[in-house]
């Protein structure tokens, strides 16, 4: 039995050394200007789907049903935090939006009205790994996250004020600056 176990151990160690060597040659794609490979795409999508199925909130959803004020507040939040990547009702994609290996959907054309609210909430709160989609759960409060979620769900039928901001982002005020982030654990002042 011993020589067999030793053989297995040596084989695993050899595989690990080869894998490390491959990574060190730069074989794992590191660029943002090349689309994801099929294997990367499959891994990212499959894992995202399973994670959302496990973690997304289920109905009844909080902070609903939204009022006209909620939709207008969400439109402002959208202009301040999302439009740079996802575009506005009529605009063309920005230089930032054109620079990702995983395209940011331009929500004016390809909205997410068909997705359940729980899924959209999860994506906004946690972000999407291996893409440029940020997590907003650390910077927006739960009410704001749900206002944005309901806005996404009803983007094709918004009340007038929200629709006006979504069509003309200049109507939104500039964002209020966030407090400075706390230094990472172990960081020294100065
Ligand atoms: C820095 C760029 C960037 C910003 C800013 C950004 N996103 Fe995204 N977002 C992305 C990318 C890239 C994807 C595509 C991810 C994918 O295909 O898996 C995405 C995906 C999404 C999706 C899923 C779309 C779909 O078709 O399934 C939603 C919903 C979304 N974002 C909402 C938001 C909201 C709301 C905000 C602002 C609070 C925001 N995003 C800000 C880049 C961004």
């Amino acid at each position: 039995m011993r020589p067999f176990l030793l053989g297995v151990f040596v084989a695993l160690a050899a595989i690990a050394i080869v894998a490390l060597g491959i990574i060190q040659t730069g074989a794992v794609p590191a660029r943002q200007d090349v689309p994801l490979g099929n294997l990367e795409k499959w891994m990212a999508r499959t894992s995202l789907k399973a994670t959302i199925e496990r973690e997304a909130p289920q109905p009844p959803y909080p902070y609903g049903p939204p009022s006209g004020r909620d939709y207008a507040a969400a439109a402002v939040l959208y202009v301040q935090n999302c439009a740079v990547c996802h575009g506005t009702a009529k605009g063309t994609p920005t230089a930032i939006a054109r620079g990702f290996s995983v395209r940011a959907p331009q929500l004016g054309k390809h909205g997410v009205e068909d997705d359940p609210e729980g899924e959209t909430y999860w994506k906004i709160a946690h972000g999407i790994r291996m893409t440029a989609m940020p997590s907003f759960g650390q910077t927006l409060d739960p009410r704001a996250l749900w206002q944005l979620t309901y806005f996404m769900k009803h983007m094709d039928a918004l009340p007038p004020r929200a629709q006006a901001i979504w069509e003309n982002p200049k109507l939104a005020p500039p964002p209020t600056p966030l407090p400075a982030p706390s230094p990472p654990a172990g960081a020294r002042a100065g």
Side-chain angles (χ1 to χ4, degrees):
M1 197 64 192
R2 274 234 182 118
F4 174 73
L5 283 181
L6 187 68
V8 169
F9 178 76
V10 170
L12 287 179
I15 291 171
I17 288 167
V18 170
L20 280 177
I22 291 174
I23 292 169
Q24 273 171 347
T25 63
V28 175
R31 302 164 60 145
Q32 187 73 276
D33 60 354
V34 176
L36 257 56
N38 287 339
L39 180 64
E40 283 178 291
K41 236 186 249 169
W42 178 83
M43 285 195 315
R45 293 222 174 117
T46 310
S47 191
L48 176 66
K49 195 164 167 269
T51 309
I52 287 177
E53 266 167 30
R54 196 177 60 236
E55 294 184 358
Q58 301 297 323
Y61 300 120
Y63 301 105
S67 65
R69 273 176 168 228
D70 287 317
Y71 284 113
V76 168
L77 288 167
Y78 180 90
V79 169
Q80 293 173 343
N81 296 288
C82 324
V84 66
C85 290
H86 290 295
T88 51
K90 294 181 177 151
T92 50
T94 59
I96 292 175
R98 292 177 207 199
F100 303 134
S101 50
V102 176
R103 289 279 164 82
Q106 298 300 291
L107 296 172
K109 290 198 191 95
H110 308 284
V112 289
E113 292 89 341
D114 292 344
D115 290 348
E117 288 90 335
E119 175 175 338
T120 298
Y121 170 88
W122 187 95
K123 288 176 179 171
I124 303 171
H126 301 289
I128 303 176
R129 210 173 174 95
M130 299 203 0
T131 81
M133 175 62 197
S135 62
F136 290 92
Q138 297 146 84
T139 45
L140 297 178
D141 60 47
R143 172 178 289 274
L145 294 174
W146 280 103
Q147 283 172 329
L148 277 163
T149 301
Y150 292 125
F151 175 79
M152 309 259 102
K153 181 74 183 171
H154 301 283
M155 235 172 187
D156 53 356
L158 292 169
R161 179 70 190 154
Q163 182 67 26
I165 298 168
W166 159 236
E167 282 181 15
N168 180 5
K170 292 203 180 89
L171 294 176
T176 327
L178 293 171
S182 42
R188 269 185 289 159

